[in-house]
Amino acid sequence: MSMNITLGREDIVRLAERVEGAQTRAYAIPKLTDEYPAMTIGDGYAVQSELRRRFIASGHRLVGWKAGLTSKAKMQQMGVNVPSIGFLTDRMARPENGAISTGDLVHPRVECEVAFVTKLALSGPGCTCEAVLAATDYVLPAVEIIDSRFAGFKFDLASVIADNGSSARFVGGGRARRPEELDLRTLGVVMERNGEIVGTGASAAVLGHPADAVAMLVNILAEIGETLPAGSFVMSGGITEAVAVKPGDSVVARFQELGSVSMRFVE
Ligand code: 0L1
Ligand code: MG
């Protein structure tokens, strides 16, 4: 890792256990910097990597990665100024049109994202938008269900990275399309909750181009000593602000050219 890690191994493991407990038993915890005020972004990724190691050791399969906090709207909403990444496992995937339980989540929110599925491996540093597009098999519309484990969604970047970028669930759907058939910068997106429009946006909200967000993700992966294998599922970041959901809500994300993704939330 080329990031600045200040925490010792014991603290990293302790914090990963704390985040894992909050994620798997769905309870809110204070942000980690309350106890470790000098925690760096590198420390956040060290805790996230330990969390990933623990999940994989207990049988979860890594299926891809997510870019987070990639739009101005999200950075403003959350009071941070640098994007982040998190990992995705098979246990977080939910089928399209399905019922998603909220009993095992703290305070879920939904965001519309363009997802990429890769056919070639990518590695940084120096990964570019063009390299991402050349390595992409197809893109599809997706909804990320984020669920910060921090009380009141109050956190800073180091804490949210340790909490795996608030990753909780994700749903891919709609129509898979080849990236060269579309202008990925200008796709319009509408988010509906119970038939009411609760968010609108254009895919350019994500760092100007969703593939730029994926390139950024690959470059951060290089900093933590990882690469993106072929066959990865990558979410490029929320296009609209995140919207809270509760049991009884149904959500439809409509993407121009890519179709829609639906789900409902239950106890
Ligand atoms: O995917 C995201 O942009 C979420 C980043 C983490 C911040 C949050 O919990 O909203
Ligand atoms: Mg997201």
Side-chain angles (χ1 to χ4, degrees), residues 107-139:
H107 37 210
R109 296 179 175 184
V110 289
E111 355 185 85
C112 303
E113 311 206 2
V114 176
F116 290 65
V117 175
T118 58
K119 60 183 176 189
L120 299 174
L122 283 164
S123 57
C127 183
T128 60
C129 183
E130 292 69 34
V132 168
L133 290 171
T136 299
D137 195 1
Y138 55 90
V139 294

Side-chain angles (χ1 to χ4, degrees), residues 56-102:
I56 289 169
S58 61
H60 302 210
R61 193 166 53 83
L62 184 70
V63 296
W65 292 84
K66 61 158 279 184
L69 301 167
T70 48
S71 73
K72 283 229 157 54
K74 281 285 312 202
M75 287 194 209
Q76 268 161 11
Q77 185 183 22
M78 292 300 142
V80 300
N81 57 6
V82 196
S84 63
I85 68 168
F87 61 87
L88 302 173
T89 71
D90 57 341
R91 309 287 173 97
M92 301 176 182
R94 293 291 178 275
E96 196 182 359
N97 292 319
I100 297 179
S101 157
T102 54

